[in-house]
Amino acid sequence: MMKDKGILIRNIYYMLSYAFRVLKRSNYDEIGSEKFEHIQDLFAAILAKGIARQLKQGLYKEYVSYCDDLSVLRGKLDIHGTIHHKLQRKQKLSCEYDELSENNVFNQILKTTSVILMQQPSVNVKRRTALKKVMLHFDSVDMIEPTCIKWNILRFQKNNQSYKMLLNICYFVLDGLLLSTDKGKFKMANFLDEQHMSRLFEKFVLEYYRYHYPSLRAAAPQIAWNIDAGTTDFLPTMQTDIVLKSYSKVLIIDTKYYAHTMQVQSRYGSRTFHSNNLYQIFTYVKNQDVGNTGNVAGMLLYARTEETIVPDADFMMSGNKMSVKTLDLNTAFGNIAEQLDNIATSYFGEIEKKEA
């Protein structure tokens, strides 16, 4: 996969552009034309541009609770604190009040991520300077410990919707942090690993089909278990990556980003498809095809590696078409798009494509 790191990083930008549509806007165009040697440098460029754009709109503010000793009443009176001041002959009221503040978790994440990126030697001086410039407007915002961020409770609404892409970039960065306890500094883990790329690969393929082939109604639904009787309470959730539908035909795609696209049989040393992956996609297909029509197909789509043997097969399994394919991400983006187009047309026939 790392034959040409520069090409892969460039393609990561395009993949992010599909995953987060805001990157397709004109103010990010110059990023798409630049060459990056390190993924952290790309993230720094996106954040510098995005935060500068956010500053023009104004930083998001939300109500933050304060407890302070004041000369006049503000908000709610803290009786116990005020009595304590009276006993000490202090002419102060202990007050609890809410105030709109930029010092909230959304801006704290932006500041923390930017500061950490500025400390990375892999980030170009130009990008560090751009981040320092926008950080001048974050004086009133605190840093936050990355391990304390509760990503799952962040809620986006009308007033902070523009933060969604930026915080997703921050998640990619901070989730890849390794804390060096010796020097007390943050070091970046390699983003180009299975964990991070797997998420992006899945989101990219889904959004590519969602944008270019609206007639296929690309989605990522859960599949219900096809059980005649009995409880399904303890059965695992069947959460798909991508489902494409056209009239009565359905294609379920499960994306995989592995270091090895084939498994090796320990006893004989022969290579086979990953058995668990095959069981998984077969289960999805058979439970989706309730009427056993054969109109539901399944595909395992792996990111191609430099291995000599890579999966490329189509076969019928219990009346349903199954495919195991690879997608070469280490090539010009036009070739990536062509590969995805061929997957759609090979199963659904000629369908209209919406150009970018």
Side-chain angles (χ1 to χ4, degrees), residues 71-115:
S71 300
V72 294
L73 178 63
R74 181 178 182 184
K76 179 182 175 182
L77 184 68
D78 178 5
I79 300 295
H80 296 290
T82 301
I83 292 175
H84 180 72
H85 291 320
K86 288 293 184 181
L87 293 174
Q88 293 184 334
R89 301 180 182 275
K90 293 180 180 179
Q91 300 302 311
K92 292 287 185 179
L93 299 175
S94 186
C95 303
E96 296 176 357
Y97 60 94
D98 294 332
E99 187 176 79
L100 272 176
S101 173
E102 295 174 349
N103 190 22
N104 54 67
V105 66
F106 292 89
N107 292 320
Q108 289 169 1
I109 291 173
L110 289 183
K111 182 173 183 176
T112 300
T113 308
S114 298
V115 170

Side-chain angles (χ1 to χ4, degrees), residues 5 9 12 37-44 189-192:
K5 188 176 179 180
I9 291 175
I12 286 174
E37 293 299 322
H38 300 279
I39 191 65
Q40 293 81 22
D41 201 24
L42 170 61
F43 285 150
N190 183 7
F191 175 81
L192 303 174

